[in-house]
Amino acid sequence: MFQTDSISHSLWGLSDSANVQTPKVHRQPTPAQVLSWLPRNATPQQQDSAIQANITPSEIHWSSRPDTLHLPGQSVGKSFRDVSLPQYYKHSYFSKSPLFHPEISGGRQGVSGDPIPYTIAGDNLITSILLGCFVLTLTAYSVSRGFIERQVKKFFYVQHGKTTAVTETASELRFQLFLVLQTSLLQALVFFFYTSSVSSDTYVLEQYQVIGIYGAMFACYYAFKFMMYFLTNMVFFDKGRNEQWLKSFLFIISSTGLLLFPAVMLLAYFDMAIKTVAVYTLVVIVLSKVLTFFKTYIIFFRQNGRFLQNILYFCALEIMPLLSMLGVMITANSYLKVNY
């Protein structure tokens, strides 16, 4: 009979327990480990692709254990999920800050792009105004086309009587007043965009308010000239000639607005140079002054042959108000701009 070797038995038992395989837990590599597998000259795109291929995002399980980090001697902090807590425990200045809540998105990724520069064609309000002027002009022209054709035919006609042969209704008069307002608006737009391109485009008010102020100034300018012509002609000339000239004056202003409308449309939607538009506007204004000089001579001074008096009349009621208006517009523009 041989006694069993206790040492050998214990070694066999140890070897049996060592042969038992424990289950392995699959762990994902860290980003640092993935990057260490790549060569040193790997591009950021390759690094990002390698990380996405080896690391799969998984659902984050937040710890439900209570927070034990508190000051010694103080009571344990309460969870914000406790419904019995007052509102000032839950809502604070940092309650929604992504720095204190990693589960809240901290903002969009990437770099913001460059803002789109301002263009007249991209301005919805100015586009709506120009489109409205275009539609109303076509509508008014279709209604008052006969009146406009008569005025064009009679404009260069030498009137021998004391009254005008062109008659107009109330709707045709309203159409002419609308064209005068349109002329003021178009001149305001041209002046605004010209001064914005030549000097700084920073104003103390919004650009729509500035354009409205310029348009109101041009409308007041034409109203002032209308009153000056009416009062002066009532003193020196008879009522028939005065009425004939005022109708011709409204026609000249309306024609100025119709001639400026294509230039403003080309400036807004076809990127015409602002200097070209400014030169065209200057030519239109000079042409209107020439027609004004011609019409005042035909109506008031042709029968008497007083060419010098017509020059004085034209300078007093056309040139001087125009230069004064130019000075007022420049002064107002300097006040409305932000001067550094």
Side-chain angles (χ1 to χ4, degrees), residues 221 224 318-331:
Y221 165 71
F224 174 76
E318 281 293 332
I319 301 301
M320 292 304 297
L322 179 63
L323 296 178
S324 302
M325 181 62 182
L326 181 61
V328 171
M329 293 297 296
I330 294 175
T331 304

Side-chain angles (χ1 to χ4, degrees), residues 254-265:
S254 303
S255 302
T256 302
L258 293 177
L259 292 176
L260 288 179
F261 189 77
V264 176
M265 297 294 288

Side-chain angles (χ1 to χ4, degrees), residues 107 150 177-178 192 212 236 320:
R150 291 197 308 270
L177 293 178
F178 163 73
F192 172 78
F236 295 100
M320 292 304 297

Side-chain angles (χ1 to χ4, degrees), residues 259-272:
L259 292 176
L260 288 179
F261 189 77
V264 176
M265 297 294 288
L266 292 175
L267 174 65
Y269 302 106
F270 294 93
D271 296 332
M272 179 179 284

